[in-house]
Protein backbone atom coordinates (compact mmCIF):
# COMPACT_ATOMS: atom_id res chain seq x y z
CA UNK A 1 0.00 0.00 0.00
CA UNK A 2 2.83 2.35 0.85
CA UNK A 3 4.45 1.66 -2.55
CA UNK A 4 1.17 2.31 -4.40
CA UNK A 5 0.68 5.53 -2.45
CA UNK A 6 4.21 6.64 -3.39
CA UNK A 7 3.57 5.87 -7.08
CA UNK A 8 0.31 7.85 -7.00
CA UNK A 9 2.12 10.84 -5.50
CA UNK A 10 4.79 10.64 -8.22
CA UNK A 11 2.10 10.47 -10.92
CA UNK A 12 0.38 13.53 -9.49
CA UNK A 13 3.69 15.39 -9.37
CA UNK A 14 4.34 14.52 -13.03
CA UNK A 15 0.86 15.74 -14.00
CA UNK A 16 1.39 18.92 -11.98
CA UNK A 17 4.70 19.51 -13.72
CA UNK A 18 3.06 19.00 -17.12
CA UNK A 19 0.30 21.47 -16.22
CA UNK A 20 2.91 23.97 -15.07
CA UNK A 21 4.83 23.57 -18.34
CA UNK A 22 1.62 24.01 -20.32
CA UNK A 23 0.62 27.10 -18.31
CA UNK A 24 4.07 28.70 -18.59
CA UNK A 25 4.14 27.85 -22.28
CA UNK A 26 0.74 29.47 -22.76
CA UNK A 27 1.93 32.63 -20.98
CA UNK A 28 5.16 32.81 -22.97
CA UNK A 29 3.15 32.31 -26.16
CA UNK A 30 0.76 35.07 -25.13
CA UNK A 31 3.68 37.46 -24.54
CA UNK A 32 5.28 36.46 -27.84
CA UNK A 33 2.00 36.87 -29.70
CA UNK A 34 1.37 40.24 -28.05
CA UNK A 35 4.85 41.50 -28.96
CA UNK A 36 4.51 40.36 -32.57
CA UNK A 37 1.02 41.84 -32.70
CA UNK A 38 2.27 45.23 -31.53
CA UNK A 39 4.95 45.27 -34.23
CA UNK A 40 2.47 44.17 -36.91
CA UNK A 41 0.00 46.87 -35.85
CA UNK A 42 2.80 49.43 -35.94
CA UNK A 43 3.62 48.59 -39.56
CA UNK A 44 -0.03 49.06 -40.52
CA UNK A 45 -0.29 52.41 -38.73
CA UNK A 46 2.92 53.78 -40.21
CA UNK A 47 2.11 52.73 -43.77
CA UNK A 48 0.45 56.11 -44.44
CA UNK A 49 3.48 58.04 -43.16
CA UNK A 50 6.39 56.10 -44.67
CA UNK A 51 6.60 55.92 -48.47
CA UNK A 52 7.38 52.64 -50.28
CA UNK A 53 10.87 53.93 -51.07
CA UNK A 54 11.48 54.71 -47.40
CA UNK A 55 10.20 51.27 -46.46
CA UNK A 56 12.86 49.97 -48.84
CA UNK A 57 15.58 51.78 -46.89
CA UNK A 58 14.09 50.53 -43.63
CA UNK A 59 14.23 46.99 -45.02
CA UNK A 60 17.89 47.47 -45.98
CA UNK A 61 18.69 48.69 -42.48
CA UNK A 62 16.92 45.68 -40.93
CA UNK A 63 18.95 43.43 -43.23
CA UNK A 64 22.14 45.06 -41.90
CA UNK A 65 20.89 44.49 -38.34
CA UNK A 66 20.25 40.85 -39.18
CA UNK A 67 23.80 40.36 -40.45
CA UNK A 68 25.32 42.22 -37.49
CA UNK A 69 23.21 40.09 -35.17
CA UNK A 70 24.83 36.93 -36.57
CA UNK A 71 28.32 38.11 -35.62
CA UNK A 72 28.12 40.66 -32.78
CA UNK A 73 28.10 37.91 -30.10
CA UNK A 74 28.97 34.95 -32.36
CA UNK A 75 25.48 33.57 -31.57
CA UNK A 76 26.82 32.49 -28.14
CA UNK A 77 24.00 33.92 -25.98
CA UNK A 78 22.01 30.66 -26.28
CA UNK A 79 24.82 28.90 -24.38
CA UNK A 80 23.53 30.43 -21.14
CA UNK A 81 20.68 27.95 -20.78
CA UNK A 82 22.88 24.94 -21.50
CA UNK A 83 25.47 25.89 -18.88
CA UNK A 84 22.94 27.00 -16.27
CA UNK A 85 21.44 23.53 -15.88
CA UNK A 86 24.67 21.63 -16.45
CA UNK A 87 27.09 23.58 -14.26
CA UNK A 88 25.05 26.03 -12.20
CA UNK A 89 24.83 29.80 -11.83
CA UNK A 90 28.55 30.38 -11.23
CA UNK A 91 29.39 28.96 -14.65
CA UNK A 92 26.53 30.98 -16.14
CA UNK A 93 28.25 34.12 -14.85
CA UNK A 94 31.39 33.10 -16.72
CA UNK A 95 29.32 32.72 -19.90
CA UNK A 96 27.76 36.18 -19.50
CA UNK A 97 31.22 37.64 -18.94
CA UNK A 98 32.65 35.83 -21.98
CA UNK A 99 29.77 36.97 -24.21
CA UNK A 100 30.21 40.56 -23.01
CA UNK A 101 33.91 40.35 -23.87
CA UNK A 102 33.06 39.08 -27.38
CA UNK A 103 30.50 41.87 -27.88
CA UNK A 104 33.06 44.49 -26.88
CA UNK A 105 35.77 43.00 -29.11
CA UNK A 106 33.62 42.56 -32.23
CA UNK A 107 31.93 45.95 -31.78
CA UNK A 108 35.39 47.56 -31.77
CA UNK A 109 36.24 45.64 -34.96
CA UNK A 110 33.03 46.77 -36.69
CA UNK A 111 33.48 50.38 -35.59
CA UNK A 112 37.10 50.25 -36.77
CA UNK A 113 36.01 48.99 -40.20
CA UNK A 114 33.48 51.81 -40.45
CA UNK A 115 36.10 54.32 -39.36
CA UNK A 116 38.52 53.16 -42.06
CA UNK A 117 36.18 52.15 -44.90
CA UNK A 118 32.88 53.73 -43.90
CA UNK A 119 32.23 55.44 -47.22
CA UNK A 120 32.83 52.28 -49.22
CA UNK A 121 30.60 50.17 -46.91
CA UNK A 122 27.94 52.88 -47.10
CA UNK A 123 27.90 52.70 -50.90
CA UNK A 124 27.69 48.88 -50.86
CA UNK A 125 24.69 48.71 -48.48
CA UNK A 126 23.15 51.98 -49.79
CA UNK A 127 22.82 53.51 -46.31
CA UNK A 128 24.38 56.54 -44.65
CA UNK A 129 27.46 55.83 -42.51
CA UNK A 130 25.82 57.14 -39.32
CA UNK A 131 23.05 54.58 -39.79
CA UNK A 132 25.68 51.83 -39.79
CA UNK A 133 27.16 53.14 -36.53
CA UNK A 134 23.66 53.10 -35.06
CA UNK A 135 23.26 49.50 -36.29
CA UNK A 136 26.33 48.37 -34.34
CA UNK A 137 25.02 50.01 -31.15
CA UNK A 138 21.54 48.51 -31.56
CA UNK A 139 22.96 45.03 -32.21
CA UNK A 140 25.20 45.11 -29.12
CA UNK A 141 22.45 46.50 -26.85
CA UNK A 142 19.99 43.90 -28.17
CA UNK A 143 22.24 41.03 -27.08
CA UNK A 144 22.46 42.42 -23.53
CA UNK A 145 18.68 42.86 -23.45
CA UNK A 146 18.14 39.30 -24.69
CA UNK A 147 20.61 37.88 -22.15
CA UNK A 148 18.67 39.61 -19.38
CA UNK A 149 15.38 38.20 -20.70
CA UNK A 150 16.94 34.76 -21.01
CA UNK A 151 18.18 34.96 -17.43
CA UNK A 152 14.62 35.74 -16.29
CA UNK A 153 13.28 32.84 -18.35
CA UNK A 154 15.82 30.40 -16.92
CA UNK A 155 14.71 31.37 -13.42
CA UNK A 156 11.10 30.83 -14.60
CA UNK A 157 9.88 34.27 -13.51
CA UNK A 158 7.06 34.37 -16.07
CA UNK A 159 5.49 37.55 -14.69
CA UNK A 160 8.71 39.59 -14.85
CA UNK A 161 9.45 38.20 -18.33
CA UNK A 162 6.07 39.42 -19.50
CA UNK A 163 6.51 42.87 -17.97
CA UNK A 164 9.96 43.42 -19.49
CA UNK A 165 9.29 41.98 -22.95
CA UNK A 166 5.87 43.62 -23.42
CA UNK A 167 6.95 47.00 -22.04
CA UNK A 168 9.89 46.92 -24.46
CA UNK A 169 7.55 46.33 -27.42
CA UNK A 170 5.07 48.96 -26.19
CA UNK A 171 7.78 51.60 -25.70
CA UNK A 172 9.10 50.94 -29.22
CA UNK A 173 5.54 51.26 -30.51
CA UNK A 174 4.93 54.64 -28.81
CA UNK A 175 8.34 56.10 -29.69
CA UNK A 176 7.91 55.06 -33.33
CA UNK A 177 4.54 56.82 -33.57
CA UNK A 178 5.87 59.96 -31.90
CA UNK A 179 9.04 60.21 -34.00
CA UNK A 180 7.54 59.16 -37.34
CA UNK A 181 4.18 60.94 -37.11
CA UNK A 182 4.80 63.67 -34.54
CA UNK A 183 8.28 64.72 -35.65
CA UNK A 184 7.89 63.71 -39.33
CA UNK A 185 11.14 61.73 -39.35
CA UNK A 186 9.87 59.05 -41.76
CA UNK A 187 11.84 55.77 -41.60
CA UNK A 188 14.58 57.41 -39.54
CA UNK A 189 12.01 57.80 -36.76
CA UNK A 190 11.61 54.06 -36.44
CA UNK A 191 15.39 53.57 -36.39
CA UNK A 192 15.77 56.17 -33.64
CA UNK A 193 12.91 54.53 -31.71
CA UNK A 194 14.71 51.20 -32.00
CA UNK A 195 17.96 52.81 -30.84
CA UNK A 196 16.38 54.49 -27.80
CA UNK A 197 14.48 51.37 -26.76
CA UNK A 198 17.34 48.90 -27.10
CA UNK A 199 19.87 51.22 -25.42
CA UNK A 200 17.46 51.74 -22.49
CA UNK A 201 16.73 48.05 -21.95
CA UNK A 202 20.21 46.88 -22.91
CA UNK A 203 21.68 49.50 -20.58
CA UNK A 204 19.47 48.32 -17.72
CA UNK A 205 20.52 44.72 -18.43
CA UNK A 206 24.17 45.77 -18.21
CA UNK A 207 23.47 47.61 -14.93
CA UNK A 208 21.65 44.55 -13.55
CA UNK A 209 24.53 42.21 -14.36
CA UNK A 210 27.01 44.61 -12.72
CA UNK A 211 24.80 45.12 -9.65
CA UNK A 212 24.23 41.39 -9.17
CA UNK A 213 27.95 40.69 -9.72
CA UNK A 214 27.49 38.52 -12.79
CA UNK A 215 30.73 39.74 -14.33
CA UNK A 216 34.01 37.98 -13.65
CA UNK A 217 37.47 38.03 -15.23
CA UNK A 218 37.75 34.25 -14.83
CA UNK A 219 36.02 33.16 -18.02
CA UNK A 220 38.99 31.87 -20.03
CA UNK A 221 38.08 28.19 -19.51
CA UNK A 222 34.52 28.66 -20.76
CA UNK A 223 35.50 30.74 -23.80
CA UNK A 224 36.77 27.93 -26.06
CA UNK A 225 33.90 25.42 -25.55
CA UNK A 226 31.37 28.24 -25.84
CA UNK A 227 32.80 29.44 -29.17
CA UNK A 228 33.01 25.88 -30.51
CA UNK A 229 29.32 25.53 -29.58
CA UNK A 230 28.23 28.86 -31.05
CA UNK A 231 30.19 29.28 -34.31
CA UNK A 232 28.19 26.59 -36.20
CA UNK A 233 25.00 28.45 -35.26
CA UNK A 234 25.90 31.43 -37.48
CA UNK A 235 25.19 29.60 -40.76
CA UNK A 236 22.34 27.80 -38.98
CA UNK A 237 20.62 31.11 -38.17
CA UNK A 238 21.52 32.54 -41.58
CA UNK A 239 19.63 29.66 -43.24
CA UNK A 240 16.35 31.39 -42.39
CA UNK A 241 17.46 34.46 -44.32
CA UNK A 242 18.62 32.34 -47.28
CA UNK A 243 15.23 30.64 -47.40
CA UNK A 244 12.73 33.46 -46.94
CA UNK A 245 14.83 36.39 -48.13
CA UNK A 246 15.80 34.85 -51.47
CA UNK A 247 12.25 33.64 -52.14
CA UNK A 248 11.02 37.25 -52.25
CA UNK A 249 13.37 38.02 -55.16
CA UNK A 250 12.59 34.75 -56.96
CA UNK A 251 8.82 35.36 -56.76
CA UNK A 252 9.25 38.93 -57.96
CA UNK A 253 11.42 37.74 -60.85
CA UNK A 254 8.98 35.13 -62.16
CA UNK A 255 5.66 36.72 -61.13
CA UNK A 256 4.92 40.21 -59.76
CA UNK A 257 5.33 42.41 -56.70
CA UNK A 258 1.65 41.72 -55.89
CA UNK A 259 2.44 38.01 -55.68
CA UNK A 260 5.32 38.83 -53.35
CA UNK A 261 2.83 40.62 -51.11
CA UNK A 262 0.29 37.78 -51.20
CA UNK A 263 2.87 35.13 -50.36
CA UNK A 264 4.44 37.28 -47.64
CA UNK A 265 0.99 37.80 -46.13
CA UNK A 266 0.39 34.03 -46.16
CA UNK A 267 3.75 33.45 -44.43
CA UNK A 268 2.89 36.03 -41.76
CA UNK A 269 -0.40 34.27 -41.04
CA UNK A 270 1.33 30.88 -40.93
CA UNK A 271 3.90 32.35 -38.52
CA UNK A 272 1.12 32.48 -35.92
CA UNK A 273 1.74 28.75 -35.46
CA UNK A 274 5.47 29.35 -35.04
CA UNK A 275 4.84 32.17 -32.57
CA UNK A 276 2.94 29.75 -30.34
CA UNK A 277 5.72 27.21 -30.76
CA UNK A 278 8.38 29.73 -29.76
CA UNK A 279 6.37 30.77 -26.73
CA UNK A 280 5.90 27.21 -25.48
CA UNK A 281 9.55 26.44 -26.29
CA UNK A 282 10.70 29.20 -23.93
CA UNK A 283 9.19 27.21 -21.09
CA UNK A 284 9.72 23.71 -22.47
CA UNK A 285 13.45 24.20 -23.13
CA UNK A 286 13.95 25.10 -19.46
CA UNK A 287 12.11 21.92 -18.38
CA UNK A 288 14.20 19.83 -20.79
CA UNK A 289 17.53 21.21 -19.57
CA UNK A 290 16.42 20.92 -15.95
CA UNK A 291 15.33 17.29 -16.40
CA UNK A 292 18.46 16.24 -18.30
CA UNK A 293 20.65 17.93 -15.67
CA UNK A 294 18.81 16.31 -12.73
CA UNK A 295 21.26 13.81 -11.24
CA UNK A 296 18.64 12.30 -8.95
CA UNK A 297 16.63 10.83 -11.86
CA UNK A 298 17.64 7.68 -13.72
CA UNK A 299 18.00 7.66 -17.50
CA UNK A 300 14.69 5.83 -17.93
CA UNK A 301 12.86 8.27 -15.66
CA UNK A 302 14.26 11.22 -17.60
CA UNK A 303 13.31 9.67 -20.94
CA UNK A 304 9.74 8.86 -19.87
CA UNK A 305 9.18 12.29 -18.36
CA UNK A 306 10.44 14.05 -21.48
CA UNK A 307 8.40 11.75 -23.75
CA UNK A 308 5.15 12.77 -22.01
CA UNK A 309 5.94 16.46 -22.50
CA UNK A 310 6.80 15.91 -26.18
CA UNK A 311 3.52 14.10 -26.88
CA UNK A 312 1.58 16.89 -25.18
CA UNK A 313 3.21 19.72 -27.12
CA UNK A 314 3.33 17.85 -30.43
CA UNK A 315 -0.44 17.29 -30.29
CA UNK A 316 -0.99 20.91 -29.28
CA UNK A 317 1.06 22.23 -32.22
CA UNK A 318 -0.86 20.05 -34.68
CA UNK A 319 -4.21 21.32 -33.36
CA UNK A 320 -3.04 24.96 -33.57
CA UNK A 321 -1.84 24.43 -37.17
CA UNK A 322 -5.21 23.00 -38.23
CA UNK A 323 -7.13 25.79 -36.49
CA UNK A 324 -5.01 28.52 -38.12
CA UNK A 325 -5.43 26.95 -41.58
CA UNK A 326 -9.21 26.59 -41.23
CA UNK A 327 -9.81 30.07 -39.77
CA UNK A 328 -7.62 31.70 -42.42
CA UNK A 329 -9.42 29.85 -45.20
CA UNK A 330 -12.83 30.96 -43.88
CA UNK A 331 -12.23 34.53 -42.72
CA UNK A 332 -9.66 35.98 -45.13
CA UNK A 333 -12.17 36.25 -48.03
CA UNK A 334 -14.66 37.89 -45.65
CA UNK A 335 -12.37 40.33 -43.83
CA UNK A 336 -9.55 40.89 -46.33
CA UNK A 337 -10.92 40.09 -49.80
CA UNK A 338 -7.87 41.60 -51.50
CA UNK A 339 -5.82 38.76 -49.98
CA UNK A 340 -8.23 35.95 -50.89
CA UNK A 341 -5.74 34.33 -53.24
CA UNK A 342 -3.32 33.79 -50.35
CA UNK A 343 -5.67 31.47 -48.44
CA UNK A 344 -4.60 28.47 -50.54
CA UNK A 345 -0.95 29.04 -49.68
CA UNK A 346 -1.79 29.20 -45.98
CA UNK A 347 -3.17 25.65 -46.05
CA UNK A 348 0.38 24.44 -46.83
CA UNK A 349 2.32 27.05 -44.88
CA UNK A 350 0.40 26.38 -41.65
CA UNK A 351 1.92 22.89 -41.69
CA UNK A 352 5.28 24.43 -42.47
CA UNK A 353 4.74 26.20 -39.14
CA UNK A 354 3.90 22.85 -37.52
CA UNK A 355 7.16 21.30 -38.76
CA UNK A 356 9.03 24.33 -37.38
CA UNK A 357 7.46 23.65 -33.98
CA UNK A 358 8.42 19.96 -34.18
CA UNK A 359 11.97 21.06 -34.95
CA UNK A 360 11.93 23.27 -31.83
CA UNK A 361 10.59 20.38 -29.78
CA UNK A 362 13.53 18.10 -30.62
CA UNK A 363 16.43 20.44 -31.29
CA UNK A 364 16.72 21.38 -27.60
CA UNK A 365 18.27 17.96 -26.95
CA UNK A 366 20.95 18.51 -29.59
CA UNK A 367 21.71 21.94 -28.11
CA UNK A 368 22.07 20.36 -24.67
CA UNK A 369 24.40 17.64 -25.93
CA UNK A 370 26.53 20.19 -27.84
CA UNK A 371 25.60 19.00 -31.34
CA UNK A 372 25.38 22.46 -32.87
CA UNK A 373 27.67 21.50 -35.77
CA UNK A 374 25.22 18.77 -36.81
CA UNK A 375 22.32 21.22 -36.51
CA UNK A 376 24.21 23.62 -38.77
CA UNK A 377 24.73 21.01 -41.49
CA UNK A 378 21.06 20.01 -41.42
CA UNK A 379 19.50 23.49 -41.43
CA UNK A 380 22.02 25.12 -43.78
CA UNK A 381 21.87 22.17 -46.14
CA UNK A 382 18.06 22.29 -46.18
CA UNK A 383 18.13 26.02 -46.97
CA UNK A 384 20.35 25.35 -50.01
CA UNK A 385 17.98 22.57 -51.11
CA UNK A 386 15.05 24.95 -50.61
CA UNK A 387 16.76 27.63 -52.70
CA UNK A 388 17.47 25.24 -55.57
CA UNK A 389 13.91 23.88 -55.56
CA UNK A 390 12.50 27.40 -55.46
CA UNK A 391 14.65 28.47 -58.41
CA UNK A 392 13.35 25.47 -60.32
CA UNK A 393 9.64 25.33 -59.37
CA UNK A 394 8.50 28.83 -58.30
CA UNK A 395 8.16 29.89 -61.94
CA UNK A 396 5.30 27.39 -62.30
CA UNK A 397 3.23 28.82 -59.46
CA UNK A 398 3.36 29.83 -55.80
CA UNK A 399 1.61 26.65 -54.67
CA UNK A 400 4.84 24.87 -55.57
CA UNK A 401 6.74 27.36 -53.40
CA UNK A 402 4.41 26.71 -50.46
CA UNK A 403 4.88 22.95 -50.87
CA UNK A 404 8.67 23.44 -50.96
CA UNK A 405 8.47 25.11 -47.52
CA UNK A 406 6.59 22.10 -46.14
CA UNK A 407 8.87 19.50 -47.72
CA UNK A 408 12.22 21.06 -46.74
CA UNK A 409 11.11 21.89 -43.19
CA UNK A 410 9.58 18.42 -42.86
CA UNK A 411 12.94 16.91 -43.79
CA UNK A 412 14.65 19.07 -41.17
CA UNK A 413 12.13 18.07 -38.48
CA UNK A 414 12.48 14.36 -39.33
CA UNK A 415 16.30 14.35 -39.33
CA UNK A 416 16.53 16.44 -36.14
CA UNK A 417 14.06 14.08 -34.44
CA UNK A 418 16.08 11.03 -35.53
CA UNK A 419 19.36 12.52 -34.28
CA UNK A 420 17.84 13.72 -31.01
CA UNK A 421 16.42 10.26 -30.27
CA UNK A 422 19.81 8.76 -30.99
CA UNK A 423 21.52 11.19 -28.59
CA UNK A 424 18.90 10.56 -25.89
CA UNK A 425 19.35 6.81 -26.14
CA UNK A 426 23.13 7.15 -26.05
CA UNK A 427 23.42 9.68 -23.22
CA UNK A 428 20.66 8.22 -21.05
CA UNK A 429 22.13 4.72 -21.51
CA UNK A 430 18.96 3.20 -22.92
CA UNK A 431 20.66 0.94 -25.48
Amino acid sequence: MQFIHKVNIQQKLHRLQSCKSLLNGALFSMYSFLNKGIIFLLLLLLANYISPADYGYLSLFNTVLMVLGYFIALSADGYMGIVYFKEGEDCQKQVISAISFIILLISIVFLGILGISGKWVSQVVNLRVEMLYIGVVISAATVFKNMYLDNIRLHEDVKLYGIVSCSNAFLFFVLSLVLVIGFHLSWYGQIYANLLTTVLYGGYALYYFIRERYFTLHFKKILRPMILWSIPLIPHIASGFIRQGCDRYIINSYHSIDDVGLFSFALNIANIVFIFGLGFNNSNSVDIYKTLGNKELSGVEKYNKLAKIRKLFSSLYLVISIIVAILAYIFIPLLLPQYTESKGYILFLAFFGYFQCVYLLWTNYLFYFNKTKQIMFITFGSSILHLLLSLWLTRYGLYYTAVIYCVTQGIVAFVIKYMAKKELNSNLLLN
Side-chain angles (χ1 to χ4, degrees), residues 168-212:
N168 174 78
F170 183 73
L171 179 61
F172 174 63
F173 178 84
V174 172
L175 286 175
S176 295
L177 292 179
V178 170
L179 294 175
V180 174
I181 300 174
F183 287 85
H184 308 289
L185 293 178
S186 187
W187 71 281
Y188 291 110
Q190 193 160 14
I191 302 305
Y192 297 146
N194 194 356
L195 176 65
L196 291 171
T197 305
T198 52
V199 167
L200 177 62
Y201 280 80
Y204 176 77
L206 186 58
Y207 163 75
Y208 172 83
F209 289 139
I210 293 173
R211 188 190 69 188
E212 299 299 322

Side-chain angles (χ1 to χ4, degrees), residues 182-381:
F183 287 85
H184 308 289
L185 293 178
S186 187
W187 71 281
Y188 291 110
Q190 193 160 14
I191 302 305
Y192 297 146
N194 194 356
L195 176 65
L196 291 171
T197 305
T198 52
V199 167
L200 177 62
Y201 280 80
Y204 176 77
L206 186 58
Y207 163 75
Y208 172 83
F209 289 139
I210 293 173
R211 188 190 69 188
E212 299 299 322
R213 299 182 179 179
Y214 272 84
F215 289 126
T216 174
L217 295 176
H218 305 290
F219 58 82
K220 186 177 179 180
K221 289 184 179 180
I222 203 71
L223 196 59
R224 186 174 182 273
M226 184 183 74
I227 291 176
L228 290 175
W229 181 90
S230 67
I231 288 294
L233 290 180
I234 295 176
H236 159 65
I237 297 171
S239 64
F241 173 76
I242 294 172
R243 177 183 292 171
Q244 298 194 23
C246 292
D247 272 348
R248 302 302 197 279
Y249 296 100
I250 295 171
I251 293 171
N252 190 39
S253 175
Y254 287 118
H255 300 281
S256 69
I257 193 65
D258 290 339
D259 288 314
V260 175
L262 287 169
F263 197 82
S264 298
F265 177 81
L267 265 176
N268 286 332
I269 296 298
N271 277 338
I272 293 173
V273 180
F274 188 52
I275 289 170
F276 277 102
L278 281 174
F280 281 108
N281 190 64
N282 283 334
S283 173
N284 186 39
S285 60
V286 173
D287 289 330
I288 289 172
Y289 298 155
K290 188 186 296 184
T291 300
L292 291 174
N294 190 338
K295 297 180 181 179
E296 296 180 0
L297 296 176
S298 68
V300 174
E301 288 174 323
K302 291 178 182 179
Y303 189 91
N304 291 336
K305 181 179 179 181
L306 293 170
K308 290 179 181 179
I309 297 174
R310 285 198 306 271
K311 290 178 182 178
L312 173 67
F313 282 114
S314 183
S315 300
L316 181 64
Y317 296 149
L318 182 60
V319 170
I320 292 172
S321 302
I322 294 171
I323 291 174
V324 168
I326 292 174
L327 292 179
Y329 198 85
I330 294 173
F331 287 106
I332 285 177
L334 298 175
L335 301 178
L336 297 166
Q338 67 271 34
Y339 289 100
T340 298
E341 191 177 343
S342 68
K343 68 177 186 178
Y345 312 144
I346 296 172
L347 292 177
F348 295 100
L349 293 174
F351 290 97
F352 160 66
Y354 167 72
F355 288 129
Q356 284 183 301
C357 293
V358 173
Y359 159 79
L360 289 176
L361 198 60
W362 287 95
T363 195
N364 289 301
Y365 303 110
L366 297 181
F367 282 131
Y368 185 85
F369 294 123
N370 297 326
K371 300 299 178 180
T372 53
K373 187 182 294 185
Q374 288 83 341
I375 295 174
M376 176 199 71
F377 285 128
I378 295 166
T379 54
F380 190 74

